Amino acid sequence: MRKEQFNQLFPDTPAYRWKQIEQAFFVPTILSWDGVTSLSKEMRARLVDVPFMSVTAKQVMVSAKKDTHKALLELGDEQVVESVLMENARGDWTICVSSQVGCAMRCGFCATGKMGLKRSLTADEIVDQYRFWIQYLTPTPIPQLPTSNPQRISNIVFMGMGEPLANYINVRDTLNTWLTYTDIGKTRITVSTVGVLPRLEQILTDKDWPHVRLAVSLHSAIAETRKQIVPTSYDDFLPKLQDWARRYLKLLGNRRHHLTFEYVMLKDVNDTDEHARALSTFVHSIGNVRCNLIPYNLTDCEFSRSEDSQIAKFLSILEKSDVVATRRKTMGDDIAAACGQLIVLSKKPRDQTLG
Ligand code: SAH
């Protein structure tokens, strides 16, 4: 439920009431309106028809290593999105959330792109993916001790289904809600975007946009290659992105705040030495940018994964020219939960174990 809906139901109610509700939403042991004891019984009774949670798990798949969990979450209109929980290097959890059902961007290598766009998610439906995973990680509800749960979500990435900047207002509302009600700070949230230039521009002046980390899915610093793999690329995308990125870093860049370029490694398409040098030149023309190389996760398309040796060579060309670059660890590929594999299948995914 959003504030506007609450205010309609309870006009003239003091603002702290809504705050109490939002606080209760983030207590993992409170699973229904009955648990929101800060509200009177009468108020709770009037809320019975309002869903306490906007997503319901239809299925959770767990990878063989148990470090990746993928949930199929059903929405009020029976659409389904996927949301992923992954163990991170610090032994905490990172969640990977969806911002849309499907995606309109049609990136040639991404399974979600093949679905087309069904609709954008509401802010509740994005916020509640976090609430779902927090509840999932809280095995035995102990109402008196809501903080006794040692399992912690420390990071959130918008790398599930959809293009977050094509759902700007709801993503912004979601970010502000999480920043208010969870202990996750701005540097632990990453919005990954294909590069929707008008929205990137808006971020520079929008007082309500919280400056979380941004990652741009570049995938090539050579114009023809980028257009080939990301067909929705704007004309002159690279010089426009370069201009934007310089201004972004001027406004916000500091030792802690950088920009990330994501780069999916597609064999013989964007992984040659020439591509590495073009990426390095592009990065140096901008400034504080880090590169994250993503080994391609197989989907039903014409691309194949770069050889490990070529990924290593690409990485070393970047490093030798002083570009900060990392290779992303592939997780959850046995349950089709890795980057770009998120698509709602009509048949059961293979190799699954139910959690
Ligand atoms: N729409 C957003 C989020 C996409 S998912 C964006 O474009 O950034 C997060 C990352 O996974 C993006 O960089 C995306 O390009 C990448 N990705 C998509 N399909 C992939 C695949 N099959 N293998 C590896 N990475 C993939």
Side-chain angles (χ1 to χ4, degrees), residues 225-252:
T225 312
R226 194 186 201 256
K227 187 80 188 170
Q228 180 198 345
I229 52 187
V230 183
T232 55
S233 271
Y234 294 82
D235 290 341
D236 296 326
F237 177 74
L238 293 172
K240 285 177 180 158
L241 179 72
Q242 179 190 50
D243 171 56
W244 170 84
R246 285 175 179 157
R247 285 180 290 123
Y248 174 83
L249 288 172
K250 202 165 170 197
L251 192 71
L252 292 157

Side-chain angles (χ1 to χ4, degrees), residues 96 99-100 103 105 107 109-112 158-164 191-195 215-219 230 262-266 294-299 301 328 338-341:
C96 174
S99 56
Q100 298 184 307
C103 186
M105 297 301 158
C107 300
F109 50 85
C110 176
T112 308
F158 277 83
M159 296 184 189
M161 299 165 77
E163 167 47 47
V191 171
S192 171
T193 175
V194 74
V216 178
S217 295
L218 185 70
H219 305 321
V230 183
E262 289 161 286
Y263 200 104
V264 57
M265 298 294 291
L266 304 170
I294 318 175
Y296 169 61
N297 298 309
L298 284 185
T299 64
C301 74
R328 187 176 298 172
C339 286
Q341 292 185 312

Side-chain angles (χ1 to χ4, degrees), residues 96-325:
C96 174
V97 297
S98 292
S99 56
Q100 298 184 307
V101 186
C103 186
M105 297 301 158
R106 304 197 314 273
C107 300
F109 50 85
C110 176
T112 308
K114 303 271 186 298
M115 287 173 69
L117 177 66
K118 306 276 190 265
R119 72 168 171 87
S120 283
L121 298 191
T122 63
D124 274 345
E125 289 164 344
I126 311 173
V127 167
D128 288 355
Q129 293 173 57
Y130 171 91
R131 293 177 59 216
F132 167 76
W133 286 119
I134 278 288
Q135 290 176 5
Y136 179 85
L137 288 172
T138 306
T140 324
I142 309 167
Q144 290 76 18
L145 295 173
T147 54
S148 68
N149 173 21
Q151 307 266 21
R152 178 163 178 263
I153 293 174
S154 63
N155 292 65
I156 304 178
V157 295
F158 277 83
M159 296 184 189
M161 299 165 77
E163 167 47 47
L165 294 191
N167 186 15
Y168 184 88
I169 300 287
N170 292 332
V171 167
R172 187 182 67 185
D173 277 2
T174 299
L175 293 171
N176 286 319
T177 303
W178 284 335
L179 290 167
T180 308
Y181 291 101
T182 76
D183 61 353
I184 304 178
K186 287 183 199 162
T187 57
R188 302 232 177 264
I189 303 179
T190 302
V191 171
S192 171
T193 175
V194 74
V196 183
L197 292 169
R199 297 290 84 74
L200 286 173
E201 207 54 58
Q202 189 170 352
I203 281 172
L204 298 182
T205 51
D206 183 351
K207 300 266 177 299
D208 295 325
W209 178 269
H211 287 296
V212 298
R213 292 231 153 107
L214 277 183
V216 178
S217 295
L218 185 70
H219 305 321
S220 179
I222 296 179
E224 306 80 70
T225 312
R226 194 186 201 256
K227 187 80 188 170
Q228 180 198 345
I229 52 187
V230 183
T232 55
S233 271
Y234 294 82
D235 290 341
D236 296 326
F237 177 74
L238 293 172
K240 285 177 180 158
L241 179 72
Q242 179 190 50
D243 171 56
W244 170 84
R246 285 175 179 157
R247 285 180 290 123
Y248 174 83
L249 288 172
K250 202 165 170 197
L251 192 71
L252 292 157
N254 56 40
R255 265 190 305 150
R256 291 189 48 182
H257 206 107
H258 58 268
L259 190 62
T260 299
F261 286 157
E262 289 161 286
Y263 200 104
V264 57
M265 298 294 291
L266 304 170
K267 186 175 177 174
D268 299 333
V269 175
N270 66 351
D271 69 344
T272 65
D273 298 1
E274 185 200 351
H275 280 93
R277 287 191 290 270
L279 177 58
S280 164
T281 306
F282 191 62
V283 165
H284 281 299
S285 75
I286 294 170
N288 193 4
V289 178
R290 296 189 185 175
C291 294
N292 191 212
L293 307 184
I294 318 175
Y296 169 61
N297 298 309
L298 284 185
T299 64
D300 198 6
C301 74
E302 74 269 29
F303 297 110
S304 42
R305 178 188 278 224
S306 303
E307 302 294 337
D308 272 346
S309 57
Q310 187 55 30
I311 300 182
K313 191 162 178 220
F314 198 97
L315 203 54
S316 90
I317 294 175
L318 294 179
E319 282 165 353
K320 276 192 192 127
S321 64
D322 288 329
V323 172
V324 182

